[in-house]
Amino acid sequence: MKYDLNLLPVLLVMMEERNVTRAAERLGITQPALSNALNRLRETLNDPLFIRERYGMRPTPKAEQLAQVVAASLGAIDQVILDQQDFDPHSATRLFTLAPNSYVEFVMMPTIVSRLRTIAPGIRLRLTPFGNDVTETGVISGNTDMVLGRIIDPPDNLVVQHLMSEGLACVVRADHPDVTDRLTAEQYEELRHVNVLPPGRMRAGLYQALEQRGLRRQVAVSVTHFLAVPEMIAVTDYCATLPRLICQHLAKDPRLKVLPAPVDLGTFPVEMGWHARYRDDPAHRWLRHLMTEVAQSLAEGSASS
């Protein structure tokens, strides 16, 4: 029996998206074309592959088993090809799809883009949402080149590298009536707070740190991105607890002032993860090195400020 190998990427994308419309968008094809490809796969394999449920498409056991084999096989093919390639950043042309969380997108990506413009002008980036879980980023199948942020419970095929550790500080408005140049634990608990909701299970990070230190926080409003914080803090008497490098950016705003947290809230890791198939990809390896350099530079700058 002959198999249409062009159908295999359809299976991998559907495993991640569990949605025909989103899968078609990622593959750059129409929804009817993807449905047709999926039907051909079903006929070939004599299996429904995906069962429609209320909140998406659930893969069958055969689909899950086949997806693992397909991902491993494509990775092996990539490796054979990549072993014969050299990489020159000055002349290379390539599109990388990255999934940074909101912290990395705010803190690291502007520096990355600036450096690419100078040393690798042919390299383009496409940023995709980090999502609620690493499985939603596309990195597990290898369709997304890299995920950046805090990576919890990575699967076996994901290589994870620690980039840096980041601490926390507080920000209030510059003319806050109750806070001068120091924030006490009592003031912290009396103030109302702006909270930034991280994706998925990361939500436990700050809450756990506060609980472990016996510190309470009255959350007045929760937002989805750091960019929403400055305007809310500038027009209220609220407080926000944010990563130090974010606070360094906000300290440039004359309406705001940054203060140390009332107690040491510890640190959180910033990590980089990629599919094992890209381990020896020269271009990917070069980009990982650039990410590491930028993270180390930012960490050193934060420590000295």
Side-chain angles (χ1 to χ4, degrees), residues 130-165:
F130 189 91
N132 292 318
D133 192 272
V134 70
T135 58
E136 298 182 9
T137 65
V139 72
I140 293 178
S141 69
N143 292 311
T144 295
D145 295 280
M146 195 180 296
V147 61
L148 297 141
R150 187 172 184 180
I151 303 172
I152 300 175
D153 298 332
D156 292 340
N157 66 352
L158 197 68
V159 183
V160 177
Q161 177 183 330
H162 180 85
L163 290 175
M164 64 179 180
S165 295

Side-chain angles (χ1 to χ4, degrees), residues 120-271:
I123 299 296
R124 296 176 294 125
L125 300 181
R126 174 180 176 267
L127 304 188
T128 187
F130 189 91
N132 292 318
D133 192 272
V134 70
T135 58
E136 298 182 9
T137 65
V139 72
I140 293 178
S141 69
N143 292 311
T144 295
D145 295 280
M146 195 180 296
V147 61
L148 297 141
R150 187 172 184 180
I151 303 172
I152 300 175
D153 298 332
D156 292 340
N157 66 352
L158 197 68
V159 183
V160 177
Q161 177 183 330
H162 180 85
L163 290 175
M164 64 179 180
S165 295
E166 171 68 302
L168 297 162
C170 296
V171 58
V172 297
R173 65 184 176 100
D175 56 350
H176 197 289
D178 302 318
V179 180
T180 55
D181 58 350
R182 180 174 176 268
L183 186 62
T184 67
E186 291 76 16
Q187 287 174 319
Y188 188 88
E189 292 187 330
E190 291 171 358
L191 291 172
R192 303 186 75 190
H193 292 256
V194 177
N195 179 52
V196 180
L197 289 174
R201 288 171 290 175
M202 285 181 60
R203 191 167 302 173
L206 179 55
Y207 285 98
Q208 287 180 347
L210 292 171
E211 183 178 358
Q212 290 168 1
R213 290 153 180 83
L215 205 59
R216 295 186 303 273
R217 186 175 59 150
Q218 301 181 55
V219 175
V221 58
S222 292
V223 299
T224 59
H225 201 283
F226 296 110
L227 291 175
V229 174
E231 298 305 318
M232 291 191 181
I233 295 296
V235 297
T236 67
D237 291 336
Y238 295 168
C239 173
T241 306
L242 303 171
R244 277 197 303 248
L245 287 171
I246 298 284
C247 287
Q248 285 185 15
H249 283 275
L250 300 187
K252 301 172 185 177
D253 188 330
R255 302 172 302 167
L256 308 175
K257 62 181 174 184
V258 174
L259 303 169
V263 299
D264 183 0
L265 295 174
T267 63
F268 64 89
V270 180
E271 298 162 317

